Amino acid sequence: MTWEFVQEALPPMLWATLATLWSSAGAVLIGLVLGAPLAAAAMARHRWALVYISFFRGVPLLVQLLLAYFALPFLGIDLPAIVAGVGTMGLCCAAYMAEILRGGLALVPHSGIEAARLLGLTPTQILLRIRLPIAIQAMRPAILGEAIMIVKASSLISVVGILELTRSAQALAASTFMPLESYALCGAIYLIINLALSLLTRGRPA
């Protein structure tokens, strides 16, 4: 890989990296927002929550993306590529976040919940003020690990036409006839992103 190639390839790859980062961040945010009530519903053994989690954890993300983008129009739901891509990743992430949070919620001491009830807090207040903060802190490594998986899985949204990092590398390889260098640079950028997230997971420098 020459310096001239890096100078030519890096600007478009960096723009594509921004698309990867914000689409991954959007998916993780959706996953956290939906994952909390989903975890509570799953702990209450609501059938719809268990079916949701089983579906999104059991069907490959690539198939989910294809269904959202190509199958939903047959039902009259025509989603833009970015909505289909980020939304589907977020819905899938929510299923995994729900399981992570459900494990974290199980770690909350029962005595703390009883004390909150004696203070007159409602079940919703107990969930938002006591159970979720404790669960999220306990499950922080697992949540950041899921975020790393989402960053890597974001390469799949290229199938619905979104120009993210992997699709940018494909375009670069086709235009320069240098596939090895293009994908090596792409892999290096993914590695840097995920190493940075891994540092957050450990909570201290490696």
Side-chain angles (χ1 to χ4, degrees):
M1 184 183 302
T2 64
W3 176 243
E4 290 76 12
F5 173 81
V6 173
Q7 286 181 308
E8 177 186 351
L10 204 53
M13 293 283 275
L14 289 178
W15 279 110
T17 300
L18 291 177
T20 290
L21 289 174
W22 76 257
S23 60
S24 299
V28 171
L29 180 60
I30 293 171
L32 283 171
V33 170
L34 297 181
L38 192 59
M43 292 183 71
R45 309 301 297 175
H46 290 298
R47 186 177 298 275
W48 67 267
L50 300 176
V51 170
Y52 179 103
I53 292 171
S54 297
F55 174 81
F56 280 98
R57 294 183 72 200
V59 177
L61 178 57
L62 179 59
V63 176
Q64 296 173 31
L65 287 165
L66 294 173
L67 286 173
Y69 191 66
F70 294 107
L72 286 181
F74 288 99
L75 302 177
I77 306 173
D78 194 3
L79 299 176
I82 193 63
V83 174
V86 177
T88 302
M89 280 203 306
L91 293 176
C92 181
C93 181
Y96 287 92
M97 288 295 185
E99 289 296 275
I100 291 170
L101 291 173
R102 183 157 64 155
L105 290 171
L107 298 176
V108 179
H110 189 69
S111 58
I113 299 173
E114 288 299 321
R117 287 172 180 163
L118 290 175
L119 290 173
L121 271 66
T122 66
T124 301
Q125 290 174 323
I126 293 173
L127 175 65
L128 295 178
R129 296 183 182 182
I130 297 175
R131 302 188 73 183
L132 270 182
I134 294 175
I136 289 174
Q137 181 61 29
M139 295 291 102
R140 186 171 66 95
I143 290 172
L144 289 172
E146 175 62 17
I148 291 173
M149 294 300 297
I150 286 295
V151 170
K152 293 188 288 187
S154 67
S155 62
L156 296 175
I157 63 176
S158 61
V159 300
V160 298
I162 298 173
L163 183 62
E164 45 67 64
L165 186 53
T166 299
R167 190 174 181 91
S168 177
Q170 292 173 334
L172 185 65
S175 63
T176 62
F177 301 101
M178 299 177 71
L180 178 60
E181 292 84 351
S182 301
Y183 293 122
L185 182 59
C186 175
I189 295 173
Y190 275 118
L191 181 61
I192 292 169
I193 295 170
N194 289 323
L195 284 177
L197 289 173
S198 296
L199 291 178
L200 293 175
T201 304
R202 290 193 288 269
R204 56 180 175 81

